[in-house]
Amino acid sequence: MPNQLLRRAFIKKSVQAAGLTALAASAQYAGGQKGIIPAGDYTVQDVMDIILKEIPGAPFKQTVDTLKSGTANQKVTGIVTTMFATITVIEKAAKSNANFIIAHEPTFYNHEDNINWVPGSSIVKEKQALLQKHGIAVWRFHDQWHAHKPDGITYGVLKKTGWTQYYTNGNPVLEMPANSLKNIVAHIKSSLGIDHVRIIGDLSQTCKRVALLPGAWGGQAQMGLAEKQQPDVVVVGEVHEWETAEYIRDAQLMGKPVSLVVLGHSVSEEPGMEWLVEWLQPKVPGLTVKHIASNNPFTWV
């Protein structure tokens, strides 16, 4: 009996200690100066504050990372990360009892989410009505996620492709074992779940230096990097076809060994918003954080 009593006392103290440890962890991420936040009491502002306190220099004074719908003081029932807050993503979020969408890209079809960019747009109005119907807040997390160390989008892509070991000092040009362009493209498609890509180049080309530029860097940055760092292949999310695509085509016609792979904007950055779930979930204990992919809007025919 004494041994049994001692054992019970030991278990009780262990449970209490574990509980205190868990509370301390919760306080570390969810408390800040406000103390522990119960699972049902997180507001949109609380979640944004928890995220931004780990971003160098955040919150930014000039940024597109603003609320596109909802209010900062509304209680959060669940969080969804995605690339674009599409109609499908909104409806899936609502069905899963999540009322806070963290999207990387615009909700209303232009960089600053100006709802009057196309005056009187019926699509904008209907989308606003759908968000209001479901009581969903949408926050864009673009500039500040890219400012994370490492860049949140790039790291997510590197992790999913298995290329993290080739990423050094924030340099987007990866020094990799020699491989054919064909094999590199096949690996990207397989690891990122992309059905089709566009290329300019010779699939038999041997590549060692891979410039990984997911999303829309813009032609000047894409071509500038190609000029300065001389990669064998530039892998991008999207291009202005009259800029980088024509630059690469002419470079090849001049005998330069540089190719281009265009993945598609949404699918090229989606892994970064998927990784956000893994990064954020421990910081908001009691809330469910999930990823809903917005996927490629195009169909190949």
Side-chain angles (χ1 to χ4, degrees), residues 25 64 92 101 105 173 285:
V64 294
K92 286 184 177 180
I101 295 175
E105 295 296 13
V173 177

Side-chain angles (χ1 to χ4, degrees), residues 34 65 92 121 123 179 197 279:
K34 299 180 180 180
D65 296 358
K92 286 184 177 180
S121 170
I123 304 302
N179 209 335
V197 302
W279 181 88

Side-chain angles (χ1 to χ4, degrees), residues 83 105 153-154 157 161 163 172-174 181 184-185 188-189 192 194 196-200 209-226 231-241 243-248 258-271 296 300:
M83 270 294 292
E105 295 296 13
I153 293 294
T154 299
V157 177
T161 54
W163 288 347
V173 177
L174 315 178
L181 178 60
I184 290 173
V185 169
I188 293 172
K189 289 173 62 180
L192 300 187
I194 301 175
H196 300 90
V197 302
R198 295 187 295 167
I199 73 162
I200 298 175
R209 292 172 53 77
V210 178
L212 185 63
L213 311 178
W217 282 52
Q220 189 174 36
Q222 291 165 346
M223 290 183 278
L225 183 141
D232 299 313
V233 57
V234 182
V235 181
V236 303
E238 68 172 68
V239 295
H240 290 157
E241 293 187 16
E243 296 175 348
T244 305
E246 292 303 327
Y247 168 87
I248 296 293
V258 59
S259 296
L260 177 70
V261 180
V262 182
L263 306 180
H265 189 125
S266 185
V267 292
S268 76
E269 293 192 296
E270 196 84 63
N296 194 331
W300 295 83

Side-chain angles (χ1 to χ4, degrees), residues 27-72:
Q28 178 183 359
Y29 288 121
Q33 295 180 346
K34 299 180 180 180
I36 298 169
I37 302 175
D41 288 345
Y42 287 93
T43 65
V44 166
Q45 188 65 58
D46 289 330
V47 175
M48 292 191 296
D49 289 345
I50 288 166
I51 291 172
L52 294 180
K53 74 179 183 180
E54 297 199 26
I55 306 297
F60 296 172
K61 291 182 179 179
Q62 297 294 325
T63 181
V64 294
D65 296 358
T66 59
L67 278 176
K68 312 307 177 182
S69 73
T71 62

Side-chain angles (χ1 to χ4, degrees), residues 123-154:
I123 304 302
V124 168
K125 291 177 181 178
E126 288 185 35
K127 192 170 192 178
Q128 287 179 309
L130 182 65
L131 288 164
Q132 186 173 11
K133 172 187 173 182
H134 292 302
I136 291 178
V138 177
W139 178 48
R140 188 174 180 191
F141 187 37
H142 180 274
D143 302 346
Q144 293 164 126
W145 194 216
H146 280 302
H148 180 269
K149 302 298 181 185
D151 180 308
I153 293 294
T154 299

Side-chain angles (χ1 to χ4, degrees), residues 86-117:
T86 66
I87 299 300
T88 300
V89 170
I90 292 167
E91 290 174 340
K92 286 184 177 180
K95 286 180 181 178
S96 65
N97 194 37
N99 70 343
F100 186 21
I101 295 175
I102 301 176
H104 187 62
E105 295 296 13
T107 298
F108 297 114
Y109 324 116
N110 63 91
H111 186 56
E112 295 181 348
D113 280 295
N114 178 358
I115 60 174
N116 295 311
W117 197 55

